Amino acid sequence: MTITDKSSVKSDEIITADQLDLNFKYEVAEEIGGEGILQCFQCGTCTATCPVRKFDPDFNVRRIIRLTLLGAKEKVMTSDFVWLCSTCYSCYELCPQEVKITDVMTALKNIAVRNGHAPENIKGHIPILTEFGQLGEITEFENTIREKHGLNLIVQTPDKVRMIFEKSKIKDLIEGKGGDL
Amino acid sequence: MDYLLYTGCTVPLRAVGYEIAAIKVAKELGINLIPMEEFSCCGYPIIFLDRDTSLALSVLNICMAEEKGLPIATLCNSCTGNLTKANDLMHKDEAFRERINKLLEPTGHQWKGTIKIRHFARILFEEVGKEKLAARVTKSLEGANIAPMYGCHYLKPTNIYDYFDHPDHPVSMETLIEATGAKPVEYVEKTLCCGGPILALGEDMPMDMSERILTGMKKGGAEAAVVVCPFCNVMMGEYQSTIGEKAGIEYNIPTFYMPQLIGLAFGFTPKELGLKKKQVKKAFGDILEEVE
């Protein structure tokens, strides 16, 4: 590949200054858990240790952080890759700058949600938790097995979960009512 | 020693044998795992959506345990992580505490900061110890090679777990395996993520991530694997044959929850530990001669 050969760079991947939101990094830094992002010096330890990146080179934590610091808000918010962080904390443990990357990734996801980009499958947890208070229904089937083994019977009580959901307005949040994109 | 047993959502639905075995083994060691009559999801599955709402669910459960005056014992790594993180932030971060208290207001519960949260495997490692466990063993698993699989939130982030074990070179699960007489398999993939938390976004990535771990176990000579998280077992156990087919490898590694492994060494029958006889025979048939 010569220096003028750009065949490996897709044109939609080139970032130009007019696409940048210079305040984005401060927005992330103000988000709970996002504080550490301004400390990143781009060493790439996170990417090197990431078990997801091993199987998907597009999921590059250093690049996500760099794009955020540059201000490529829309690119970060609308891409699939923020969602691939499995919260394993490998990078969190090794980061020499204490960026607390797992928390930064969660902050990015939370901002994306408020801007209407929550994946449907994760949004789907909210109605289930509202109905049962847990991530599934405990039926007579489960309780019969429990009884057979001398375990207590589970009675699901979702009332308090519903109260918290109402107070935090999570149902509005996941529909993107609360963002600014 | 009394603990409230917080099972979370996944254990009663997909891993009731883990709960059965934990209660049995604990009792043998003088620990009462008392069921929580009222509990809800720990909030981990919705941390991607909204961190405060997620952690408020954890604090709600901590409050309910505090009112009983007992610490919490957990079985699931993700529950352990979310509950411990929430409790830690409530202690350390005043702004967080204020926001969560507001979210909790309608429930009538108030966080006091009086209890600790411990994974059951950590209780076995720290509060019981290898010696006391080994003394209770009646059917040694000597001769078996067992791969420990840690998962993520049992150990990490280390700053909320008082650095009780090393994030890259941990020893707590090996110590418990050794107490049963078995030999822990050493393999570098033992602390890698199974991909369970992103399973909702598609199977391919978690299957690739788990293949790497299973292949490491196989190369290390594992005849069985032991896990401490129901989601690790979804990937290592439930998905094992599908992953093997895709990779063209026959893994043949039966998976057990730590209390089930210890329970077998204590002389409990597979049935008493919520296990299938066939699975125990496959892993330990030549060691445990009479599997009831």
Side-chain angles (χ1 to χ4, degrees):
Chain A
M1 192 168 80
T2 65
I3 206 157
T4 51
D5 180 6
K6 288 188 178 171
S7 57
S8 67
V9 181
K10 292 178 213 143
S11 59
D12 63 347
E13 280 185 357
I14 295 170
I15 296 157
T16 53
D18 59 333
Q19 302 165 353
L20 301 179
D21 172 351
L22 300 179
N23 279 320
F24 185 41
K25 63 183 172 199
Y26 300 113
E27 188 187 337
V28 175
E30 272 172 35
E31 184 78 12
I32 315 134
E35 306 87 353
I37 192 160
L38 301 176
Q39 282 155 228
C40 174
F41 59 31
Q42 289 284 298
C43 69
T45 305
C46 47
T47 300
T49 189
C50 180
V52 175
R53 205 261 176 179
K54 177 114 182 148
F55 299 103
D56 184 353
D58 283 342
F59 183 76
N60 182 332
V61 182
R62 171 167 62 178
R63 188 161 183 269
I64 295 167
I65 303 253
R66 182 68 189 132
L67 285 169
T68 305
L69 289 170
L70 270 175
K73 179 169 180 174
E74 190 152 355
K75 204 175 179 75
V76 173
M77 294 286 99
T78 57
S79 71
D80 295 336
F81 49 54
V82 287
W83 298 100
L84 279 176
C85 168
S86 71
T87 72
C88 77
Y89 286 96
S90 300
C91 58
Y92 183 108
E93 291 294 325
L94 293 174
C95 176
Q97 282 294 98
E98 292 190 21
V99 174
K100 299 196 172 172
I101 301 153
T102 315
D103 292 345
V104 171
M105 295 302 290
T106 300
L108 288 172
K109 287 173 199 166
N110 287 186
I111 297 172
V113 167
R114 294 204 300 273
N115 285 289
H117 303 297
E120 289 303 321
N121 284 353
I122 299 180
K123 273 200 317 204
H125 294 337
I126 297 296
I128 298 171
L129 290 175
T130 308
E131 190 171 356
F132 305 115
Q134 291 161 24
L135 211 57
E137 186 182 9
I138 300 286
T139 65
E140 220 182 299
F141 173 77
E142 281 82 20
N143 270 333
T144 308
I145 295 172
R146 296 182 70 79
E147 200 171 11
K148 216 175 83 190
H149 286 279
L151 300 177
N152 66 310
L153 302 187
I154 294 178
V155 184
Q156 294 183 307
T157 48
D159 308 19
K160 288 168 187 168
V161 172
R162 289 176 194 164
M163 289 174 193
I164 291 173
F165 281 2
E166 250 170 59
K167 190 92 178 165
S168 78
K169 301 191 172 67
I170 185 96
K171 283 173 193 170
D172 288 340
L173 287 181
I174 61 172
E175 294 311 325
K177 298 172 191 164
D180 54 358
L181 252 192
Chain B
M1 217 178 341
D2 289 353
Y3 277 93
L4 279 176
L5 182 63
Y6 177 83
T7 60
C9 309
T10 313
V11 168
L13 284 168
R14 296 177 89 154
V16 75
Y18 189 8
E19 186 181 351
I20 293 165
I23 294 170
K24 285 245 160 62
V25 163
K27 205 172 173 193
E28 282 298 304
L29 299 161
I31 302 168
N32 289 313
L33 296 181
I34 300 157
M36 275 182 87
E37 279 158 28
E38 190 184 355
F39 72 95
S40 69
C41 172
C42 71
Y44 174 74
I46 58 165
I47 195 144
F48 293 177
L49 297 174
D50 186 58
R51 190 169 178 261
D52 273 8
T53 310
S54 163
L55 292 170
L57 294 190
S58 268
V59 178
L60 170 69
N61 286 286
I62 295 167
C63 290
M64 294 194 282
E66 281 184 338
E67 285 151 25
K68 303 273 176 197
L70 289 172
I72 290 175
T74 53
L75 298 175
C76 167
N77 287 4
S78 304
C79 296
T80 314
N82 227 49
L83 290 164
T84 309
K85 186 160 201 134
N87 209 31
D88 187 64
L89 283 168
M90 288 298 275
H91 276 291
K92 289 177 185 163
D93 186 334
E94 205 184 323
F96 175 80
R97 193 162 57 234
E98 263 172 42
R99 291 197 309 273
I100 298 298
N101 281 339
K102 269 193 196 137
L103 291 180
L104 281 181
E105 228 166 61
T107 70
H109 291 284
Q110 233 184 345
W111 180 85
K112 304 244 164 47
T114 53
I115 61 157
K116 62 178 182 182
I117 294 115
R118 286 288 181 273
H119 193 293
F120 184 57
R122 182 175 169 191
I123 295 172
L124 293 176
F125 174 64
E126 283 188 329
E127 295 175 42
V128 179
K130 186 178 173 183
E131 223 166 85
K132 199 174 162 196
L133 280 166
R136 174 61 189 77
V137 169
T138 54
K139 285 188 175 173
S140 169
L141 301 179
E142 200 184 331
N145 293 304
I146 300 173
M149 194 229 163
Y150 281 85
C152 305
H153 303 169
Y154 165 70
L155 290 169
K156 294 176 283 189
T158 47
N159 59 357
I160 62 166
Y161 292 127
D162 324 310
Y163 305 89
F164 83 96
D165 205 350
H166 195 286
D168 298 321
H169 307 286
V171 295
S172 55
M173 286 185 75
E174 279 84 345
T175 308
L176 298 177
I177 292 170
E178 279 166 5
T180 69
K183 191 173 162 241
V185 169
E186 188 54 55
Y187 66 113
V188 289
E189 295 84 357
K190 70 181 182 183
T191 57
L192 289 180
C193 177
C194 71
I198 49 172
L199 196 55
L201 299 164
E203 292 182 332
D204 287 352
M205 178 60 73
M207 279 172 58
D208 283 343
M209 291 162 78
S210 293
E211 184 201 317
R212 191 176 169 202
I213 303 168
L214 283 164
T215 302
M217 288 177 180
K218 186 89 184 162
K219 279 184 186 159
E223 291 146 358
V226 64
V227 295
V228 290
C229 172
F231 251 90
C232 292
N233 199 38
V234 166
M235 294 314 302
M236 295 300 116
E238 291 177 28
Y239 271 86
Q240 190 181 113
S241 57
T242 318
I243 293 168
E245 271 168 39
K246 202 177 150 200
I249 303 170
E250 207 178 309
Y251 289 113
N252 226 348
I253 305 172
T255 58
F256 298 86
Y257 289 105
M258 186 60 88
Q260 292 177 320
L261 186 79
I262 295 171
L264 287 171
F266 281 6
F268 286 116
T269 63
K271 202 177 157 194
E272 285 174 309
L273 299 166
L275 280 166
K276 289 198 174 84
K277 215 158 104 175
K278 204 175 128 192
Q279 187 192 354
V280 178
K281 271 196 171 157
K282 194 168 152 191
F284 308 115
D286 45 347
I287 299 162
L288 300 170
E289 279 160 14
E290 312 147 44
V291 173
E292 297 293 324

